Amino acid sequence: MGQRGDRPHIYSFGGPAGGWGSVRSLADILTRERIDARGYRELLRQNKPQGFMCVSCAWPKPADHHPAEFCEEGAKATAWELTRRRTTPEFFEKHSLSELRGWTDYDLEQQGRLTHPLRYDAATDKYVACSWEEAFDAIGAALRPLDPAAVAFYSSGRTSLEASYMYGLMARMYGNQNLPDSSNMCHESTSVGLKAALGVPVGTTRIEDFDKTDAIFFFGQNVGSNAPRMLHNLRACRKRGVEIVTFNPLRERGLERFTDPQNPAEMLTLTETSISTQYHQLRAGSDIAAMTGIAKYLLLWDEKARAAGKPEVLDHAFLAGHTVGFDEFADAVRAAEWGDIEAETGLPRADLEAAARVYAGAGAVMAIYGMGLTQHVKGVENVRMVVNLLLLRGNIGKPGAGPTPVRGHSNVQGQRTVGITEKTELVPVERLEAQYGFTAPRKKGLDTVGTCRGIIDGSVRGFVGLGGNFLRAVPETEAMEAAWPSLDLSVQIATKLNRNHLFPGKQAFLLPCLGRIERDVQASGPQAVSVEDSTSCIHGSRGKVTPASPHLLSEPAIVAAIAKRILPPNPRLDWDAWVADYSRIRAAISETYPDIFGDYERRLFTPGGFWKGNNAAERIWETKSGKAEFHAPSGLSAAGFADVPGRFRLTTLRSNDQFNTTIYGYHDRFRGVKGTRDILFINAEDMAEAGIAEGEIVALESDAGDGRRRRRDGLIATPYAIPRGCLGAYYPECNLLMPLDHHAEESHVPAAKSVPVRIVRGNRDEGAAA
Ligand SMILES: Nc1nc2c(c(=O)[nH]1)N[C@H]1C(S)=C(S)[C@@H](COP(=O)(O)OP(=O)(O)OC[C@H]3O[C@@H](n4cnc5c(=O)[nH]c(N)nc54)[C@H](O)[C@@H]3O)O[C@H]1N2
Ligand SMILES: Nc1nc2c(c(=O)[nH]1)N[C@H]1C(S)=C(S)[C@@H](COP(=O)(O)OP(=O)(O)OC[C@H]3O[C@@H](n4cnc5c(=O)[nH]c(N)nc54)[C@H](O)[C@@H]3O)O[C@H]1N2
Ligand SMILES: [Mo]
């Protein structure tokens, strides 16, 4: 396995995604985390009815599941939670937070599961064990006098529907909608873009659509690392001859070839399925241009066909009956110049013609996408452009077709469903008010960028984090780390130690909670929770493993305890009764959201989940116009800054050996990187032009032109198949290069996929520009 300190090693990976490499990588991590037979048994319960739902990605869990419905990444996430390592109060006696701030993300989480509630002791700069009562009382005493507008309640998308509902309700009863969440850094561009275009904030497809599709267009999602179970669906598509057209600046192995690690025959014969039938390495941030090029051909071919009396290429009946804005969109597409499209994408127009041919020839098209589209200044326009493309041939609301955003965290989509949002219009406030007898706030709350701004300018005074690693995941790392200690209160509810925990507010608590795989026993007996996957299917999840420590509380129990300290007693809301029996929380959820969660309890363990429904999938458009809406893009680039000599578009990447800020190891197998994460992926011609030698250590500096110095040193220049003018480097280590203001318009998702930077050679002091 790739450990830091192994000699950094860059090699050319010749194998497929999955395959023996995946089995080996998994075996390594199971050994390192000291997983025994019990742990292996748990893996077999993963993503099965009555089992637990994987804590890794949000890909659907099918009803007709594989004998082992997990992947390398899901198994790593399970092992990470089941580890037998422990981070105890004795550990904190030995290490001050100043010392721990010198540790890597990997080393911090590698200490294992947190075992006791901890209070920060400023005198010794250490965490010390405290009782739950002491922690809750102090948190209540600190929060009550604060202006509710000055407190943020963050949550990461792993938290269950039950805990999320309680958390959002608590914030609103406390007096704010400051509910930033990981979605604000992720698929918020989808939630905003799809909602405006189609009236639903989520994808319209379901797992069955893979059986009916004729072609898949794949934008900016790294399936092999980040949603590997989807490879099974893609492989099945390829076996039926479905075309898969991929747009990605990097050659990602999972999008090229795949061997099913759970198929012994394939493993033994080393059979591979090639995944993409076309692979277009466009420049980062140029997807609008690429789709404009495709649309140009479609419009052209349609005009010719109609003139010649041949079958039309566009679905005019659908356009007339179901859409608005087509003419403006078509005008914008016709007006775009080929020279500009080629310059922006770096692709010859023949490539876009080939992609357009596949699109025009397919009866049903799915468009699958991820962070490569959402994390740009024009991230919402990227999403709208996907919709434009699909609408041209009626590819929404019919079998085998539709937008398919691949959500990140296992319940990130579900959190929105039950009220984790800063936006009043997304919550049934009147119903909440009637249900609980209070006046809910109407003022828009803080999202992630707003919370960061508030922490930096001092207007946010209190922060509660329900999971996640906020400080590490957000942009502008240095200013954020500098400002954090001025908070009056910071509370972190977590399973493992991470960097955010090392930056305490004036008062700080680190509260250890149960993970989803663990048995959660409350007054009425063992409890289940639920999550919503990327295709809007809701699944029950039951943990069975003995908790990592007898002192852990569940997330619902922790939220309830804080709620009781900060809210006046309410005869309509018995927090203790909810914690005693989670079916009461679900009953409350179904009262607030009867259309989605009717008969919740009975349907909880439906194989494959129960579907919450999707109007756009039935061609009911709940948009302003009542139709599906085209959107003419404002320009060809999504980057949000001009190309000038020496300025690069940096795209920040996940390795195959991490889950967001959790670093499992130092081996990015598919990209051939071992022993280090200090890599700068760069085009060989760009290296030659700048005179940079392979393996040379360089730095990146922010080139945002805002006068602020941001610099990342110590990157190993590594020639890679990436377009000229683009660079790749790992998240979260490069977040310090991201300006806080560099985010998607409308959705405010930090624009992590094209960050303006310059390469700097030489050591820190010389700083000679390349
Ligand atoms: N194992 C594992 N699984 C995960 C995660 C993890 O960290 N590890 N994270 C989870 C979370 S929260 C999320 S949101 C998802 C993230 O999963 P993804 O959506 O796959 O996100 P990224 O890994 O950031 O990479 C996105 C891909 O976009 C490409 N790309 C970059 N810029 C552009 C561009 O401008 N255009 C196009 N077309 N492509 C571009 C990159 O090369 C990369 O292949 O995965 C989830 N699942
Ligand atoms: N540059 C750059 N920045 C990015 C991205 C990028 O692509 N590039 N991606 C963005 C995206 S898509 C996302 S989603 C965010 C991720 O942001 P977050 O969701 O905030 O971060 P994670 O790394 O997933 O959080 C890991 C921590 O969660 C805690 N944890 C794990 N399981 C549990 C649990 O069951 N309960 C509780 N309470 N805590 C738990 C552990 O303590 C662990 O250390 O980062 C964003 N930041
Ligand atoms: Mo995410």
Side-chain angles (χ1 to χ4, degrees), residues 123-158:
T124 56
D125 187 35
K126 286 177 177 170
Y127 275 122
V128 292
C130 67
S131 72
W132 282 105
E133 288 309 302
E134 182 189 348
F136 292 139
D137 288 347
I139 292 166
L143 286 177
R144 280 191 307 267
L146 285 179
D147 174 1
V151 178
F153 296 98
Y154 175 69
S155 53
S156 167
R158 194 175 282 201

Side-chain angles (χ1 to χ4, degrees), residues 14 43 93 165 177 191 231 289 300 304 376 391 405 429 437 484-485 525 533 550 574 609 639 643 668 703 721 728:
L43 282 178
E93 269 170 34
Y165 176 81
Q177 306 187 83
S191 306
L231 286 171
L300 178 73
K304 282 194 182 158
H376 287 286
L391 290 176
V429 269
W484 199 278
D533 70 30
D574 184 345
D643 291 317
D668 194 357
D703 196 23

Side-chain angles (χ1 to χ4, degrees), residues 504-519:
K506 288 175 197 149
Q507 274 198 79
F509 293 89
L510 176 50
L511 307 178
C513 66
L514 291 173
R516 197 186 295 154
I517 304 170
E518 289 167 321
R519 193 165 55 233

Side-chain angles (χ1 to χ4, degrees), residues 182-183 185-187 371 375 407-409 412 654 660:
S182 57
S183 179
M185 303 179 243
C186 186
H187 267 293
M371 297 300 99
Q375 294 177 333
R407 298 275 168 170
H409 273 296
V412 64
R654 292 167 163 77
N660 298 338

